[in-house]
Amino acid sequence: MKPRIPSIGRAIQMALQLDLFSDFLVPDKLRPTPAKTPVPAPFPVNDKPQRDETRPAAPPPSTFVNTSNKRRILIQDYLLEYDLQRSKRRSIGFLINEDGLRITAPRWVTIADIETAIQEKQAWILRKLTERRERTQRKLEPSMTWQDGAKLPYLGGEITLRIAPASVSGTHFQSEQAELIINLPADAGEQQLKDRVQAWLQQEAKRVFNERLPVFAEKLNVRYQSMALSAAATRWGSCTSQGKIRLNWRLIHFSPMIIDYVIAHELAHLREMNHSPRFWATVQSVFPDFEVARNTLRQHASADLPAF
């Protein structure tokens, strides 16, 4: 009896699934090299001696069975180039990275079927390519200049930084004018200004988080033990089974919707310590538009935030 070949419809439905919540600040992982000619690491790992090149080396573990292939397809009067990789996976995967569109497909899927899948997913592909190009452009723009009149992202909007020379240091926020006034001695340097702004933002983050956590804890009927600020580079929040919540203070740059989503996400882990369908159903029960917020957060680039 011949093995059943998965339908192309199912293969497309099983396309790329992302969970950028835990790694959306991390660059795309490098794919393993083809098994034909293993390439030794450019530097030793953990100071271990490098492999003896005179001995035959076993091929590195890999799911890929042949090299990549550049192809082109016309969609919406746009000549799209994509990199096709054949693998042992059972579905068609779509990935947008620095090099453009990469498609990973099983060996048994025809080019015609792959290009049909591209046509069906063209709106997503073109949107993601545009977002990638815009993020790249933003990285090329000058970074924030720490001076009077500078704009600072705060709760999804912008506030203006005002520097007022004074003998006594102080920080005042004027909400109506959306201005953050920093009193500093005349001889204060840029780092002192950054430290003062960061301290104020962290204070605001703690205030906002402590206001919103009880709201979603009550909706989810869970109890958390504590909340602490985090400065993690690769995640926006975390939750332990003991109910210890950590939230990245940088969330204060984003809109209240994004903050609520992250809080709901972490508190939902007190009911489901995983990212299963039941977990996402739990998040949706208290935050119906979680997919909108999650996608917005995924589109964020670290270059968009001020460097402290």
Side-chain angles (χ1 to χ4, degrees):
M1 183 174 180
K2 295 183 178 180
R4 183 179 179 183
I5 299 177
S7 69
I8 182 59
R10 182 176 178 185
I12 297 171
Q13 292 175 0
M14 294 174 64
L16 182 64
Q17 307 247 340
L18 299 176
D19 182 8
L20 287 185
F21 186 80
S22 61
D23 64 358
F24 75 98
L25 287 178
V26 179
D28 298 324
K29 295 181 179 178
L30 295 175
R31 294 296 187 267
T33 57
K36 278 188 176 181
T37 55
V39 180
F43 51 83
V45 179
N46 294 333
D47 295 326
K48 292 181 179 179
Q50 296 193 19
R51 175 174 56 83
D52 184 359
E53 296 294 335
T54 62
R55 298 181 180 179
S62 173
T63 59
F64 297 112
V65 294
N66 63 356
T67 58
S68 62
N69 180 29
K70 293 287 186 181
R71 304 189 64 86
R72 293 180 178 180
I73 181 175
L74 187 66
I75 57 174
Q76 296 186 15
D77 298 325
Y78 175 75
L79 189 59
L80 173 68
E81 183 178 84
Y82 65 95
D83 179 31
L84 175 61
Q85 294 184 341
R86 295 293 189 171
S87 78
K88 296 179 180 179
R89 61 178 294 157
R90 293 185 294 176
S91 63
I92 299 178
F94 296 84
L95 175 67
I96 305 295
N97 60 19
E98 289 83 355
D99 299 321
L101 172 63
R102 177 163 60 198
I103 295 178
T104 308
R107 289 171 292 182
W108 51 265
V109 177
T110 66
I111 295 297
D113 287 337
I114 290 172
E115 297 195 344
T116 296
I118 294 174
Q119 294 287 354
E120 292 177 353
K121 207 172 179 64
Q122 61 179 281
W124 180 88
I125 292 171
L126 294 178
R127 185 177 73 253
K128 291 298 181 182
L129 287 173
T130 299
E131 291 170 358
R132 170 70 69 173
R133 185 170 60 252
E134 290 174 350
R135 287 199 297 269
T136 301
Q137 181 60 37
R138 287 197 298 270
K139 290 180 181 180
L140 298 177
E141 295 174 354
S143 58
M144 172 181 169
T145 302
W146 290 87
Q147 62 184 14
D148 185 78
K151 301 295 183 180
L152 192 71
Y154 172 70
L155 289 179
E158 281 188 336
I159 60 177
T160 303
L161 187 61
R162 294 298 182 191
I163 303 174
S167 57
V168 180
S169 298
T171 304
H172 310 283
F173 179 58
Q174 296 182 344
S175 57
E176 292 184 3
Q177 292 81 11
E179 292 183 345
L180 180 62
I181 302 172
I182 305 292
N183 295 112
L184 285 173
D187 60 348
E190 182 181 279
Q191 191 57 53
Q192 288 177 271
L193 174 60
K194 289 182 179 181
D195 292 343
R196 293 288 303 285
V197 173
Q198 181 174 336
W200 181 81
L201 288 172
Q202 291 177 340
Q203 176 183 317
E204 285 294 290
K206 185 176 294 187
R207 176 184 64 82
V208 173
F209 298 164
N210 282 327
E211 287 177 357
R212 302 305 294 165
L213 274 164
V215 174
F216 285 95
E218 182 178 356
K219 290 181 178 181
L220 288 164
N221 193 27
V222 296
R223 299 181 65 179
Y224 62 96
Q225 181 178 331
S226 62
M227 188 283 294
L229 296 184
S230 163
T234 60
R235 60 173 58 190
W236 295 113
S238 63
C239 175
T240 69
S241 57
Q242 293 77 32
K244 295 181 179 180
I245 306 289
R246 291 179 62 83
L247 298 171
N248 197 311
W249 70 267
R250 288 286 210 158
L251 286 168
I252 198 63
H253 293 303
F254 297 98
S255 68
M257 176 190 71
I258 299 298
I259 295 174
D260 280 354
Y261 160 66
V262 175
I263 288 174
H265 182 118
E266 297 309 330
L267 288 174
H269 280 308
L270 294 178
R271 290 176 54 177
E272 295 289 337
M273 292 298 292
N274 50 56
H275 286 112
S276 65
R278 289 182 60 180
F279 167 80
W280 291 113
T282 301
V283 175
Q284 188 173 35
S285 69
V286 295
F287 198 93
D289 295 330
F290 80 92
E291 289 183 332
V292 175
R294 182 175 62 180
N295 291 337
T296 300
L297 195 56
R298 286 174 175 175
Q299 294 166 15
H300 153 77
S302 56
D304 297 338
L305 300 181
F308 289 90

